[in-house]
Amino acid sequence: MRTIDLSPLYRSLVGFDRLADQLDAAARNEAASGYPPYNIERTGENAYRIEIAVAGFKPEELNVEVKENLLTVTGRKAANDEAKQYLHRGLAERNFERKFQLTDYLVVVDADLSNGLLSIALKRELPEALKPRSVEIKTPATSTLIEGEKAA
């Protein structure tokens, strides 16, 4: 396993400690478990999709929750009381919890379960105050004209 020392970030970048903490948390979560496998796809300039392989899970056994920029997907298999005798058991069907750290203003739009894949659609929605806006440039002629209009 590869470890990354983020202490130089703390020494030289003031105010970026939150970013370093997020990188640290992401590295810990990746090392924890590779189950279930997933894809992260960029579907547009401000749109993303996370696809998680959840073969054998029913919609009522899955939970998608967002809290404080943390997307948590959990799968809890109901206890199977049937006595089955497997010759080979290749489908994991075990409980899981997968976490994704989301950036600010990234919201979950939709979640869909189809063909054993849970697809979660995400979209970046910037508030109006953060969107680029055009500012009118005034010249002395237009400033005088505008002041004259106000006086009239």
Side-chain angles (χ1 to χ4, degrees):
M1 180 177 145
R2 185 183 304 168
T3 58
I4 300 171
D5 181 19
L6 298 175
S7 58
L9 287 178
Y10 293 113
R11 290 192 303 261
S12 60
L13 298 174
V14 178
F16 285 89
D17 52 332
R18 182 173 170 227
L19 176 63
D21 290 342
Q22 287 177 344
L23 290 171
D24 240 357
R28 278 194 306 274
N29 284 343
E30 267 310 302
S33 169
Y35 179 77
Y38 64 93
N39 293 330
I40 300 175
E41 176 185 2
R42 186 175 191 165
T43 58
E45 186 177 337
N46 291 312
Y48 304 87
R49 179 178 26 249
I50 299 173
E51 292 179 326
I52 305 173
V54 290
F57 282 87
K58 299 174 188 167
E60 58 270 10
E61 296 171 332
L62 297 168
N63 184 39
V64 178
E65 181 180 285
V66 180
K67 182 179 179 184
E68 298 175 4
N69 291 356
L70 185 66
L71 170 64
T72 306
V73 180
T74 53
R76 301 281 177 244
K77 275 307 259 183
N80 194 351
D81 295 332
E82 294 180 33
K84 294 182 181 178
Q85 185 178 4
Y86 291 99
L87 298 178
H88 170 74
R89 187 157 189 182
L91 297 176
E93 293 185 350
R94 63 181 183 249
N95 295 343
F96 69 88
E97 181 176 78
R98 175 67 77 178
K99 295 183 179 186
F100 300 92
Q101 188 69 42
L102 304 178
T103 63
D104 293 334
Y105 314 115
L106 194 63
V107 296
V108 175
V109 178
D110 189 27
D112 177 48
L113 180 63
S114 177
N115 297 326
L117 286 177
L118 175 64
S119 295
I120 303 169
L122 304 155
K123 183 178 182 185
R124 180 172 297 129
E125 294 181 352
L126 290 175
E128 285 298 321
L130 294 178
K131 289 183 181 176
R133 57 185 171 82
S134 182
V135 177
E136 180 185 348
I137 301 173
K138 297 179 183 175
T139 62
T142 58
S143 298
T144 311
L145 180 63
I146 292 172
E147 290 171 10
E149 289 176 355
K150 289 179 185 175

